[in-house]
Amino acid sequence: MMENVLKQYFGYSAFRPKQREIIQHLLDGKDALVLMPTGGGKSMCYQLPALMMNGVTVVVSPLLSLMKDQVESLQANGIAARAINSAVSETENMLVRRECAQGMIKLLYVSPERLLVELPFLQENVEISLFAIDEAHCISAWGHDFRPEYAQLGILRETFPNVPIVALTATADKVTRTDILEQLHIPNARMFVSSFDRPNLNLDVKRGMNTKERNQAILQFMLRHQHDCGIIYCMSRKTTESVAAYLRSHQFTTAVYHAGLTVEEREKAQNDFVCDRVQIVCATIAFGMGINKSNVRFVIHYNLPKSIENFYQEIGRAGRDGLRSDTLLFYNVSDIIQLNRFALDSGQREINMERLRRMQEYAESNVCRRRILLNYFGQPYLCECGHCDVCQHPPQRFDGTILIQKALSAIVRGNSELTLRMVVDVLCGSYSAEVRQKNLHAIKTFGVGRDVPRRDWNDYLLQMLQMGFVEIQYDRYNYLRITDAGLDVLYGRQTATLAIPQREEEPHPRRRKTAKELQRKLDLALPETDSAQIMDEALFGDLRDLRKRLAQEQNLPPYIVFSDNVLRTLSARKPCNLDEFGETPGIGDYKCKKYGAVFLEVIRKYR
Ligand code: ADP
Ligand code: ZN
């Protein structure tokens, strides 16, 4: 029964883990808290019950763009969904209210502040089947997205004692979980925690790179993503601008997104990205919560995020369609210094420092990255994933005692008044302004590390920080200080190893890929189930064009018409008739009827 509805409306033949249990629980009229990673398929957990129950399911969502996206995708599947919010005219809101009262609507999306206004009306006139509180962590001051409007949702339970409530979030933090249940007055809600693993995301970390090296690494990375859309997260507005300009100068279409832009500018950037008119968005963390675009193929962190929660949510925006996607994290010591300052100045100093420490440990670790992430989210994961940088290029270590001693001795001779950069200057014998000003070229260690490239010294010093041989004096101009463990190495009482830094190849100038290379890339990107089928690249291109045209005609983002995954499957299977077309995962009855003929026509012509 449930499976039939899933197939009929969404075109999927099986539930993802936990979805079935959650849906059954809600159909039984009970409350639930659902924790799933971004892209895990949370919305299905209330959309399906909404279709199966009498009355209207009310979905509380914090952002207009999220609501718009969800309503559009539901309508695209022939489902009666509407939104009431400030972006909609009052006449239209009236109409929606009437349709609700007449039972013509299955899902109603509202913002939390709007819901409070509508409550008397809903209570009087509408049969409500279920309340779904999306992005439920916004209710908790512990969460990273606290929204005061959410705080009043506690009255739902009192007002509608018999309507089940489901809260959904991708934030796994234990404090936040408990807080959500308390604030919503649903202490007995059952908690469903699905696996946080997103096996289709590749994880890669590059440490100690300066701006130029990072930019080059991004160009190198983009060779694998010449036609793909992705997001680059940066710590500051200024960086978003400079990275975007750099990529533009290499013929990529880019947009920037940060809090310094006007609302209109931000909306334009977001729409251009969602509708595939812009390939790369360089953004601060302000970007993304409202983005449900399923074909984001990569997420790059130009700077270290401030917590693993933030990091995981941000990379989660890649590959919602389940196709393989790449993530890349850069970090260097200036990020650490900067983020430490933010954490120290923040209201919740201890918590934020601890969050940052865990993020740093992740970035510096030599253990399978997925293993760290999943253990962090409380999911024991004991194997190696095989598709993170540590698994793919296990770090090789060598006896680094002498190199470490050289660096430590530079710090001692500089009276512990050197920043990391100054230590590297001294070791490499660079006459920088700071070196001259502090007369550092006179000390004995000046230039003793000339045989090691600067870039490697940066890396070794980060490793020394991580191993606890030196620490940063945040309260003293970020000068480095030697720890007791460091002194043991300096005086030869201990030896220590270093990992060989991973080197980048020089990026090649941008050129169009040959058909063969593209084919290889696309084969790689195919999800497991379809990798046996050879996708037809030319047909895929034709179908993509058709999708874009249909999307434009309806003023919809292309991925709402069909996901990349659907187009890939179509171009591999080349269905001959409507029945075969409708068998494609992701094509429900409505879309089959609506689009079947035009797509079959293109496929037939292609043959
Ligand atoms: P979340 O809200 O958890 O970030 P979504 O609800 O947007 O994730 O779901 C992510 C993607 O997974 C969507 O494209 C959705 O259509 C798809 N999806 C959800 N459930 C299933 C399923 N049972 N089978 C296949 N795809 C699914
Ligand atoms: Zn791994």
Side-chain angles (χ1 to χ4, degrees):
M1 174 55 189
M2 244 189 245
E3 272 80 2
N4 294 344
V5 182
L6 181 70
K7 178 78 195 144
Q8 181 193 343
Y9 282 99
F10 301 96
Y12 300 127
S13 44
F15 285 105
R16 294 213 178 134
K18 293 271 171 12
Q19 282 179 334
R20 194 172 209 293
E21 277 173 83
I22 297 166
I23 293 167
Q24 189 58 57
H25 186 80
L26 296 175
L27 290 176
D28 292 343
K30 297 180 202 150
D31 303 327
L33 171 59
V34 171
L35 298 143
M36 270 190 196
T38 314
K42 281 187 287 299
S43 4
M44 192 65 76
C45 300
Y46 56 83
Q47 290 172 351
L48 208 84
L51 293 170
M52 297 179 68
M53 293 161 102
N54 288 329
V56 182
T57 288
V58 176
V59 187
V60 182
S61 175
L63 289 178
L64 294 184
S65 56
L66 268 180
M67 281 188 234
K68 182 163 173 283
D69 181 277
Q70 294 248 334
V71 170
E72 280 174 354
S73 8
L74 286 165
Q75 289 177 345
N77 280 319
I79 297 167
R82 294 277 191 282
I84 289 192
N85 59 46
S86 53
V88 182
S89 75
E90 217 23 63
T91 339
E92 214 165 309
N93 283 343
M94 284 294 290
L95 199 69
V96 174
R97 268 187 221 110
R98 182 160 354 122
E99 288 177 334
C100 278
Q102 291 169 348
M104 290 159 67
I105 287 178
K106 291 315 295 179
L107 289 115
L108 176 69
Y109 284 77
V110 288
S111 58
E113 59 274 19
R114 191 67 200 216
L115 176 64
L116 298 173
V117 178
E118 301 289 338
L119 271 187
F121 169 80
L122 292 173
Q123 202 178 4
E124 279 293 301
N125 305 288
V126 180
E127 179 184 4
I128 296 181
S129 52
L130 171 69
F131 283 106
I133 318 294
D134 208 1
E135 312 286 353
H137 59 276
C138 292
I139 204 171
S140 169
W142 295 104
H144 46 83
D145 275 320
F146 176 59
R147 282 165 190 263
E149 319 87 78
Y150 261 69
Q152 296 171 53
L153 293 176
I155 64 166
L156 287 181
R157 173 39 36 97
E158 278 72 44
T159 321
F160 299 89
N162 299 317
V163 179
I165 296 178
V166 56
L168 309 101
T169 173
T171 298
D173 193 305
K174 285 217 178 70
V175 200
T176 313
R177 287 183 204 182
T178 333
D179 209 20
I180 294 173
L181 298 185
E182 250 166 51
Q183 307 258 358
L184 282 176
H185 302 184
I186 48 169
N188 300 319
R190 182 154 154 215
M191 192 128 54
F192 293 89
V193 185
S194 88
S195 167
F196 270 72
D197 194 10
R198 297 281 313 279
N200 62 321
L201 300 185
N202 293 332
L203 305 166
D204 194 0
V205 179
K206 297 196 183 303
R207 67 183 168 215
M209 288 187 169
N210 63 25
T211 307
K212 192 171 154 222
E213 289 161 337
R214 271 182 283 189
N215 287 345
Q216 292 207 336
I218 291 176
L219 280 193
Q220 179 82 28
F221 177 95
M222 288 306 295
L223 286 175
R224 277 179 286 144
H225 292 283
Q226 299 216 23
H227 302 282
D228 296 336
C229 293
I231 307 171
I232 302 183
Y233 282 109
C234 309
M235 205 186 309
S236 71
R237 298 173 189 183
K238 220 175 92 199
T239 318
T240 63
E241 307 273 358
S242 61
V243 176
Y246 177 79
L247 287 167
R248 260 198 309 278
S249 73
H250 285 83
Q251 273 72 53
F252 291 98
T253 52
T254 61
V256 293
Y257 189 106
H258 54 67
L261 302 176
T262 62
V263 175
E264 292 76 32
E265 287 168 320
R266 269 183 282 165
E267 262 172 20
K268 180 172 184 327
Q270 177 159 336
N271 285 334
D272 283 347
F273 182 64
V274 164
C275 293
D276 296 351
R277 290 189 293 265
V278 148
Q279 192 182 353
I280 303 169
V281 178
C282 301
T284 56
I285 52 168
F287 182 72
M289 199 170 166
I291 304 291
N292 268 352
K293 185 179 166 75
S294 69
N295 57 337
V296 176
R297 288 271 74 83
F298 64 87
V299 169
I300 296 177
H301 282 90
Y302 201 83
N303 301 102
L304 193 73
K306 58 179 192 273
S307 73
I308 289 188
E309 279 87 1
N310 284 66
F311 171 68
Y312 207 60
Q313 189 155 43
E314 282 148 19
I315 62 170
R317 294 185 180 125
R320 279 174 193 254
D321 51 15
L323 295 179
R324 192 162 301 174
S325 309
D326 285 325
T327 77
L328 173 59
L329 165 69
F330 293 107
Y331 90 105
N332 59 30
V333 76
S334 42
D335 290 352
I336 295 175
I337 290 172
Q338 181 95 38
L339 289 167
N340 254 291
R341 190 167 329 124
F342 291 157
L344 282 172
D345 293 347
S346 71
Q348 302 165 344
R349 199 174 162 145
E350 292 310 312
I351 296 181
N352 289 334
M353 290 293 285
E354 179 56 25
R355 285 186 174 147
L356 175 59
R357 255 195 302 279
R358 301 295 301 269
M359 184 69 233
Q360 217 175 313
E361 277 166 24
Y362 168 83
E364 288 164 349
S365 175
N366 291 326
V367 175
C368 167
R369 309 234 184 248
R370 199 170 312 271
R371 196 165 159 172
I372 305 180
L373 286 176
L374 293 178
N375 284 308
Y376 179 84
F377 289 119
Q379 279 176 8
Y381 181 89
L382 300 174
C383 43
E384 318 281 83
C385 78
H387 46 284
C388 71
D389 58 319
V390 178
C391 285
Q392 283 177 334
H393 314 281
Q396 306 202 332
R397 308 191 69 88
F398 64 97
D399 183 349
T401 311
I402 294 182
L403 289 179
I404 293 174
Q405 286 170 338
K406 283 181 181 173
L408 293 176
S409 128
I411 294 171
V412 174
R413 289 176 194 272
N415 295 324
S416 302
E417 287 180 1
L418 307 187
T419 61
L420 188 143
R421 189 171 63 205
M422 282 146 59
V423 175
V424 176
D425 283 342
V426 168
L427 289 165
C428 296
S430 317
Y431 288 91
S432 65
E434 284 153 324
V435 165
R436 267 174 302 192
Q437 191 198 337
K438 290 197 152 211
N439 220 18
L440 295 174
H441 46 282
I443 66 180
K444 213 178 144 199
T445 13
F446 190 73
V448 294
R450 262 198 202 100
D451 50 329
V452 173
R454 228 190 138 81
R455 147 101 209 274
D456 288 2
W457 271 123
N458 276 323
D459 194 293
Y460 295 147
L461 277 153
L462 273 175
Q463 293 187 45
M464 288 167 58
L465 264 174
Q466 162 196 5
M467 290 187 289
F469 297 149
V470 290
E471 56 193 18
I472 299 175
Q473 306 178 65
Y474 294 107
D475 51 352
R476 215 175 141 234
Y477 310 107
N478 303 315
Y479 292 151
L480 297 184
R481 176 174 55 205
I482 305 182
T483 61
D484 289 345
L487 289 176
D488 285 346
V489 180
L490 179 61
Y491 297 124
R493 296 191 290 261
Q494 271 296 337
T495 60
T497 62
L498 287 168
I500 300 177
Q502 306 276 347
R503 289 216 162 268
E504 278 308 291
E505 299 153 44
E506 281 294 300
H508 307 289
R510 193 167 185 234
R511 61 181 171 86
R512 292 198 79 77
K513 289 212 156 182
T514 62
K516 214 168 163 187
E517 281 171 317
L518 265 178
Q519 184 60 52
R520 199 176 314 132
K521 181 188 111 169
L522 290 165
D523 285 347
L524 263 181
L526 278 172
E528 260 65 72
T529 45
D530 276 351
S531 56
Q533 295 171 318
I534 302 298
M535 193 191 76
D536 200 314
E537 171 59 22
L539 177 56
F540 181 76
D542 290 352
L543 296 180
R544 194 170 46 197
D545 292 345
L546 173 61
R547 170 178 74 173
K548 194 156 187 180
R549 191 173 52 102
L550 293 169
Q552 258 161 8
E553 283 168 14
Q554 307 171 78
N555 199 15
L556 286 175
Y559 72 88
I560 287 194
V561 173
F562 280 136
S563 69
D564 279 14
N565 210 351
V566 167
L567 296 194
R568 281 179 204 286
T569 313
L570 288 176
S571 60
R573 294 190 186 168
K574 303 196 189 69
C576 299
N577 54 45
L578 270 184
D579 281 348
E580 287 176 21
F581 185 80
E583 282 306 304
T584 315
I587 302 186
D589 290 358
Y590 188 82
K591 285 188 180 176
C592 181
K593 273 208 204 80
K594 182 164 180 184
Y595 299 123
V598 268
F599 274 86
L600 285 171
E601 182 59 26
V602 170
I603 296 171
R604 185 158 46 233
K605 271 206 193 116
Y606 180 81
R607 285 233 197 79

